[in-house]
Amino acid sequence: MDEELRALTERLRQESGGTAAFDRLRATGDHGELAEVLIAPGQPLWARELAAFRLGLAGDRRAFESLVLLLNHRDPPRCASAAHALARLGDPRTARAAAALATNELRVAYALHPVRLLAALRAPESVPALITTLERRLRPHDPYRGVALACVEGLGTLGDGRARRVLSEALAHPALAEAAVRALARIPEQQRR
């Protein structure tokens, strides 16, 4: 079993109280039934999350909107499970949505998982969004060092020469310097100029 699915299942089993409805949603192979949970009124959040996650892993794009909402949730485990499912969904809208969430200054406290998702997607939107988000985090006394570090690591993973300037600026921040050195080292030599 997928480790993320196992963790989600255990978390949602507790949240649901281990009801028969939970067991049915966990076990069903009917994508129509799962999709219905996403649009039916009065469904608890745990049911919507479980249905969206399972549909996302199955590549069913009906999960997209629900997963994007969960990616921007205040609860980090929900964000993490949504990012995991979105990375596997294969929907071309995912990178654009993740970039919008990562660069939204009003929701920067919840940007960690969209930033990590952008690095995993390696989409055209990834590098510009990570650069923008990191530039904003390099301000004095910025409280979102975790988001900044995720940007530095993501830009290192992507190894794109466009990130050289902002990664060089990150060297001046003690909490980011070591990761910035590693990220800069991953940019191919021909892109360093």
Side-chain angles (χ1 to χ4, degrees), residues 122-180:
R122 296 181 168 274
E125 297 88 347
S126 297
V127 171
L130 294 179
I131 288 172
T132 297
T133 304
L134 180 56
E135 285 172 338
R136 294 172 180 168
R137 305 287 59 87
L138 295 180
R139 297 177 188 142
H141 311 294
D142 184 85
Y144 303 107
R145 284 292 172 221
V147 172
L149 183 59
C151 287
V152 169
E153 292 169 347
L155 289 167
T157 296
L158 296 170
D160 190 300
R162 294 175 290 175
R164 185 162 185 68
R165 180 193 50 78
V166 73
L167 289 171
S168 295
E169 291 173 17
L171 292 170
H173 298 264
L176 304 175
E178 188 176 322

Coordinates of all heavy atoms in Angstrom, one line a residue, residues 122-180:
R122 N 8.0 19.7 -12.0 CA 9.0 20.2 -13.0 C 8.3 20.8 -14.2 O 8.7 20.5 -15.4 CB 9.9 19.0 -13.5 CG 10.7 18.4 -12.4 CD 11.6 17.3 -12.9 NE 12.6 17.0 -11.9 CZ 13.8 17.5 -11.9 NH1 14.1 18.5 -12.7 NH2 14.7 17.2 -11.0
A123 N 7.3 21.6 -14.0 CA 6.5 22.2 -15.0 C 7.1 23.5 -15.4 O 7.9 24.1 -14.7 CB 5.0 22.4 -14.6
P124 N 6.7 24.1 -16.6 CA 7.2 25.4 -17.0 C 6.9 26.5 -15.9 O 7.7 27.4 -15.8 CB 6.4 25.7 -18.3 CG 6.1 24.4 -18.8 CD 5.9 23.5 -17.6
E125 N 5.8 26.4 -15.2 CA 5.5 27.3 -14.1 C 6.3 27.2 -12.9 O 6.4 28.1 -12.1 CB 4.0 27.2 -13.7 CG 3.0 27.4 -14.8 CD 2.7 26.2 -15.6 OE1 3.4 25.2 -15.5 OE2 1.7 26.3 -16.3
S126 N 7.0 26.1 -12.7 CA 7.7 25.8 -11.4 C 8.8 26.8 -11.1 O 8.8 27.4 -10.0 CB 8.3 24.4 -11.5 OG 7.3 23.4 -11.6
V127 N 9.8 27.0 -12.0 CA 10.9 27.9 -11.7 C 10.5 29.3 -11.4 O 10.9 29.9 -10.4 CB 12.0 27.7 -12.7 CG1 13.1 28.8 -12.5 CG2 12.6 26.3 -12.7
P128 N 9.7 29.9 -12.3 CA 9.3 31.3 -12.0 C 8.5 31.5 -10.7 O 8.8 32.4 -10.0 CB 8.4 31.7 -13.2 CG 8.9 30.8 -14.3 CD 9.3 29.5 -13.6
A129 N 7.7 30.5 -10.4 CA 6.9 30.7 -9.1 C 7.8 30.5 -7.9 O 7.7 31.2 -6.9 CB 5.8 29.6 -9.1
L130 N 8.8 29.5 -8.0 CA 9.7 29.3 -6.9 C 10.6 30.5 -6.7 O 10.9 30.9 -5.6 CB 10.5 28.1 -7.0 CG 9.7 26.8 -7.0 CD1 10.6 25.6 -7.2 CD2 8.9 26.6 -5.7
I131 N 11.0 31.1 -7.8 CA 11.9 32.3 -7.7 C 11.1 33.5 -7.0 O 11.6 34.1 -6.1 CB 12.4 32.7 -9.1 CG1 13.5 31.7 -9.6 CG2 13.0 34.2 -9.1 CD1 13.9 31.9 -11.0
T132 N 9.9 33.7 -7.5 CA 9.1 34.8 -6.9 C 8.8 34.6 -5.5 O 9.0 35.5 -4.6 CB 7.7 34.9 -7.7 OG1 8.0 35.2 -9.0 CG2 6.8 35.9 -7.1
T133 N 8.5 33.4 -5.1 CA 8.2 33.1 -3.7 C 9.4 33.2 -2.8 O 9.4 33.8 -1.7 CB 7.6 31.6 -3.5 OG1 6.5 31.5 -4.4 CG2 7.2 31.3 -2.1
L134 N 10.6 32.8 -3.3 CA 11.8 32.9 -2.6 C 12.2 34.4 -2.4 O 12.7 34.8 -1.3 CB 12.9 32.1 -3.2 CG 14.3 32.1 -2.5 CD1 14.2 31.7 -1.0 CD2 15.3 31.2 -3.2
E135 N 12.1 35.1 -3.5 CA 12.5 36.6 -3.4 C 11.7 37.2 -2.3 O 12.3 38.0 -1.5 CB 12.2 37.3 -4.7 CG 13.1 36.9 -5.8 CD 12.7 37.5 -7.2 OE1 11.5 37.8 -7.4 OE2 13.6 37.6 -8.1
R136 N 10.5 36.9 -2.1 CA 9.6 37.5 -1.1 C 10.1 37.1 0.3 O 9.9 37.8 1.3 CB 8.2 37.2 -1.3 CG 7.6 37.9 -2.6 CD 6.3 37.4 -2.9 NE 5.7 38.0 -4.1 CZ 4.6 37.6 -4.7 NH1 3.9 36.5 -4.2 NH2 4.2 38.2 -5.8
R137 N 10.6 35.9 0.4 CA 11.0 35.3 1.7 C 12.3 35.8 2.1 O 12.8 35.6 3.3 CB 11.0 33.8 1.7 CG 9.7 33.1 1.2 CD 8.6 33.1 2.2 NE 8.1 34.4 2.6 CZ 7.2 35.2 2.0 NH1 6.6 34.7 0.9 NH2 6.8 36.3 2.5
L138 N 13.1 36.5 1.3 CA 14.4 37.0 1.6 C 14.4 38.3 2.3 O 15.4 38.9 2.6 CB 15.3 37.0 0.4 CG 15.6 35.6 -0.2 CD1 16.5 35.8 -1.5 CD2 16.2 34.7 0.8
R139 N 13.2 38.8 2.6 CA 13.1 40.1 3.3 C 13.5 39.9 4.8 O 13.4 38.8 5.3 CB 11.6 40.6 3.3 CG 11.1 40.9 1.9 CD 9.7 41.3 1.9 NE 9.2 41.4 0.6 CZ 8.0 41.0 0.2 NH1 7.1 40.5 1.1 NH2 7.6 41.1 -1.0
P140 N 14.0 41.0 5.4 CA 14.5 40.8 6.8 C 13.3 40.4 7.7 O 12.2 40.9 7.5 CB 14.9 42.2 7.2 CG 15.2 42.9 5.9 CD 14.3 42.3 4.8
H141 N 13.6 39.5 8.6 CA 12.6 39.0 9.6 C 11.4 38.3 9.0 O 10.4 38.3 9.7 CB 12.2 40.2 10.5 CG 13.3 41.0 11.0 ND1 14.3 40.5 11.9 CD2 13.7 42.3 10.8 CE1 15.2 41.4 12.2 NE2 14.8 42.5 11.5
D142 N 11.5 37.8 7.9 CA 10.4 37.0 7.3 C 10.2 35.8 8.1 O 11.1 35.0 8.4 CB 10.7 36.6 5.8 CG 9.5 35.9 5.2 OD1 8.6 36.6 4.7 OD2 9.5 34.7 5.2
P143 N 8.9 35.5 8.6 CA 8.7 34.4 9.5 C 8.5 33.0 8.8 O 8.3 32.0 9.4 CB 7.4 34.8 10.2 CG 6.7 35.6 9.2 CD 7.8 36.4 8.4
Y144 N 8.6 33.0 7.5 CA 8.3 31.8 6.7 C 9.6 31.1 6.2 O 9.7 30.8 5.0 CB 7.3 32.1 5.6 CG 6.0 32.7 6.1 CD1 5.8 34.0 6.0 CD2 5.1 31.9 6.9 CE1 4.6 34.6 6.5 CE2 4.0 32.5 7.4 CZ 3.7 33.9 7.2 OH 2.6 34.4 7.8
R145 N 10.5 30.8 7.0 CA 11.8 30.2 6.6 C 11.6 28.8 6.1 O 12.3 28.4 5.2 CB 12.8 30.2 7.8 CG 13.4 31.5 8.1 CD 14.3 31.9 6.9 NE 14.7 33.3 7.1 CZ 14.8 34.2 6.2 NH1 14.6 33.9 5.0 NH2 15.2 35.4 6.5
G146 N 10.6 28.1 6.5 CA 10.3 26.8 6.0 C 9.9 26.8 4.5 O 10.4 26.0 3.7
V147 N 9.1 27.8 4.2 CA 8.8 28.0 2.8 C 10.0 28.4 2.0 O 10.2 27.9 0.9 CB 7.6 29.1 2.7 CG1 7.3 29.4 1.2 CG2 6.4 28.6 3.4
A148 N 10.8 29.3 2.5 CA 12.0 29.8 1.8 C 12.9 28.6 1.6 O 13.5 28.4 0.5 CB 12.7 30.8 2.6
L149 N 13.1 27.7 2.6 CA 14.0 26.6 2.4 C 13.5 25.6 1.4 O 14.2 25.1 0.6 CB 14.2 25.9 3.8 CG 15.1 24.7 3.8 CD1 16.5 25.1 3.4 CD2 15.1 24.1 5.2
A150 N 12.2 25.4 1.4 CA 11.6 24.5 0.4 C 11.8 25.1 -1.0 O 12.0 24.3 -2.0 CB 10.1 24.3 0.6
C151 N 11.7 26.4 -1.2 CA 12.0 27.1 -2.5 C 13.4 26.8 -2.9 O 13.7 26.5 -4.1 CB 11.7 28.6 -2.4 SG 10.0 29.0 -2.3
V152 N 14.4 27.0 -2.0 CA 15.8 26.8 -2.3 C 16.0 25.4 -2.7 O 16.7 25.1 -3.7 CB 16.7 27.2 -1.1 CG1 18.1 26.7 -1.3 CG2 16.6 28.7 -0.8
E153 N 15.5 24.4 -1.9 CA 15.7 23.0 -2.3 C 15.0 22.7 -3.6 O 15.6 21.9 -4.4 CB 15.1 22.2 -1.1 CG 15.9 22.3 0.1 CD 15.2 21.6 1.4 OE1 14.0 21.3 1.3 OE2 15.9 21.5 2.4
G154 N 13.8 23.2 -3.8 CA 13.1 23.0 -5.1 C 13.9 23.5 -6.3 O 14.0 22.8 -7.3
L155 N 14.4 24.7 -6.1 CA 15.2 25.3 -7.2 C 16.5 24.5 -7.5 O 16.9 24.3 -8.6 CB 15.5 26.7 -6.9 CG 14.3 27.7 -7.0 CD1 14.6 29.1 -6.4 CD2 13.8 27.8 -8.5
G156 N 17.0 23.9 -6.4 CA 18.2 23.0 -6.6 C 17.8 21.8 -7.3 O 18.5 21.3 -8.2
T157 N 16.7 21.2 -7.0 CA 16.2 20.0 -7.7 C 16.0 20.3 -9.2 O 16.3 19.5 -10.0 CB 14.9 19.5 -7.1 OG1 15.1 19.2 -5.7 CG2 14.2 18.4 -7.8
L158 N 15.4 21.5 -9.5 CA 15.1 21.8 -10.9 C 16.4 22.2 -11.6 O 16.4 22.0 -12.9 CB 14.1 22.9 -10.9 CG 12.7 22.5 -10.3 CD1 11.8 23.7 -10.2 CD2 12.1 21.4 -11.1
G159 N 17.4 22.7 -11.0 CA 18.7 23.0 -11.6 C 18.6 23.9 -12.8 O 19.4 23.8 -13.7
D160 N 17.8 24.9 -12.7 CA 17.6 25.9 -13.8 C 18.5 27.1 -13.5 O 18.4 27.7 -12.4 CB 16.1 26.2 -13.8 CG 15.8 27.0 -15.1 OD1 16.3 28.1 -15.3 OD2 14.9 26.6 -15.8
G161 N 19.2 27.6 -14.5 CA 20.1 28.7 -14.4 C 19.4 30.0 -14.1 O 20.0 30.9 -13.5
R162 N 18.1 30.1 -14.3 CA 17.3 31.3 -14.0 C 17.3 31.6 -12.5 O 17.1 32.7 -12.0 CB 15.9 31.3 -14.5 CG 15.8 31.3 -16.0 CD 14.4 31.1 -16.5 NE 14.0 29.7 -16.2 CZ 12.7 29.3 -16.4 NH1 11.8 30.1 -16.9 NH2 12.4 28.0 -16.2
A163 N 17.5 30.5 -11.7 CA 17.5 30.7 -10.2 C 18.8 31.1 -9.6 O 18.9 31.4 -8.4 CB 17.1 29.3 -9.6
R164 N 19.8 31.2 -10.4 CA 21.2 31.5 -9.9 C 21.2 32.8 -9.1 O 21.7 32.8 -8.0 CB 22.2 31.6 -11.0 CG 23.6 31.9 -10.5 CD 24.6 31.5 -11.6 NE 25.9 31.6 -11.1 CZ 26.5 30.8 -10.3 NH1 25.8 29.8 -9.7 NH2 27.8 31.0 -9.9
R165 N 20.6 33.9 -9.5 CA 20.6 35.2 -8.8 C 20.0 35.1 -7.5 O 20.5 35.4 -6.4 CB 19.9 36.3 -9.6 CG 19.9 37.6 -9.0 CD 19.0 38.6 -9.6 NE 17.6 38.1 -9.8 CZ 16.7 38.0 -8.9 NH1 17.0 38.4 -7.6 NH2 15.5 37.6 -9.2
V166 N 18.7 34.5 -7.4 CA 18.0 34.5 -6.1 C 18.7 33.5 -5.2 O 18.7 33.7 -4.0 CB 16.5 34.2 -6.3 CG1 16.3 32.7 -6.7 CG2 15.7 34.5 -5.1
L167 N 19.3 32.4 -5.7 CA 20.0 31.5 -4.8 C 21.2 32.1 -4.3 O 21.6 31.9 -3.1 CB 20.3 30.2 -5.6 CG 19.1 29.3 -5.9 CD1 19.5 28.1 -6.9 CD2 18.5 28.7 -4.6
S168 N 21.9 32.9 -5.1 CA 23.1 33.7 -4.6 C 22.7 34.6 -3.5 O 23.4 34.8 -2.5 CB 23.7 34.4 -5.7 OG 24.3 33.5 -6.7
E169 N 21.5 35.3 -3.6 CA 21.0 36.1 -2.5 C 20.7 35.4 -1.3 O 20.9 35.9 -0.2 CB 19.8 36.9 -3.0 CG 20.1 37.9 -4.1 CD 18.8 38.6 -4.7 OE1 17.8 38.5 -4.1 OE2 18.9 39.2 -5.8
A170 N 20.2 34.1 -1.4 CA 19.9 33.3 -0.3 C 21.1 32.9 0.5 O 21.0 32.6 1.7 CB 19.2 32.1 -0.7
L171 N 22.3 33.0 -0.1 CA 23.5 32.7 0.7 C 23.7 33.6 1.9 O 24.4 33.2 2.8 CB 24.7 32.8 -0.3 CG 24.8 31.8 -1.4 CD1 25.9 32.1 -2.4 CD2 25.0 30.4 -0.8
A172 N 23.2 34.8 1.8 CA 23.4 35.8 2.9 C 22.5 35.5 4.1 O 22.6 36.1 5.1 CB 23.1 37.2 2.4
H173 N 21.6 34.5 4.0 CA 20.7 34.1 5.1 C 21.2 32.8 5.7 O 21.1 31.8 5.1 CB 19.3 34.0 4.5 CG 18.8 35.3 3.9 ND1 18.0 36.1 4.7 CD2 18.9 35.8 2.7 CE1 17.7 37.2 3.9 NE2 18.3 37.0 2.7
P174 N 21.6 32.9 7.0 CA 22.2 31.7 7.6 C 21.3 30.5 7.6 O 21.8 29.4 7.4 CB 22.4 32.2 9.1 CG 22.6 33.7 9.0 CD 21.7 34.1 7.8
A175 N 20.0 30.6 7.7 CA 19.1 29.5 7.7 C 19.0 28.8 6.3 O 18.6 27.7 6.2 CB 17.7 29.9 8.2
L176 N 19.4 29.6 5.3 CA 19.3 29.1 3.9 C 20.6 28.8 3.2 O 20.7 28.2 2.2 CB 18.5 30.1 3.1 CG 17.1 30.5 3.6 CD1 16.6 31.6 2.7 CD2 16.2 29.3 3.6
A177 N 21.7 29.3 3.8 CA 23.0 29.3 3.1 C 23.5 27.9 2.7 O 23.9 27.7 1.5 CB 24.1 30.0 4.0
E178 N 23.4 26.9 3.6 CA 23.9 25.6 3.2 C 23.1 25.0 2.1 O 23.6 24.4 1.1 CB 23.8 24.7 4.5 CG 24.5 23.4 4.3 CD 24.5 22.5 5.5 OE1 24.7 23.1 6.6 OE2 24.3 21.3 5.4
A179 N 21.8 25.1 2.1 CA 20.9 24.6 1.1 C 21.1 25.4 -0.2 O 21.1 24.8 -1.3 CB 19.4 24.7 1.5
A180 N 21.4 26.7 -0.1 CA 21.7 27.5 -1.3 C 23.0 27.0 -2.0 O 23.0 27.0 -3.2 CB 21.7 28.9 -1.0

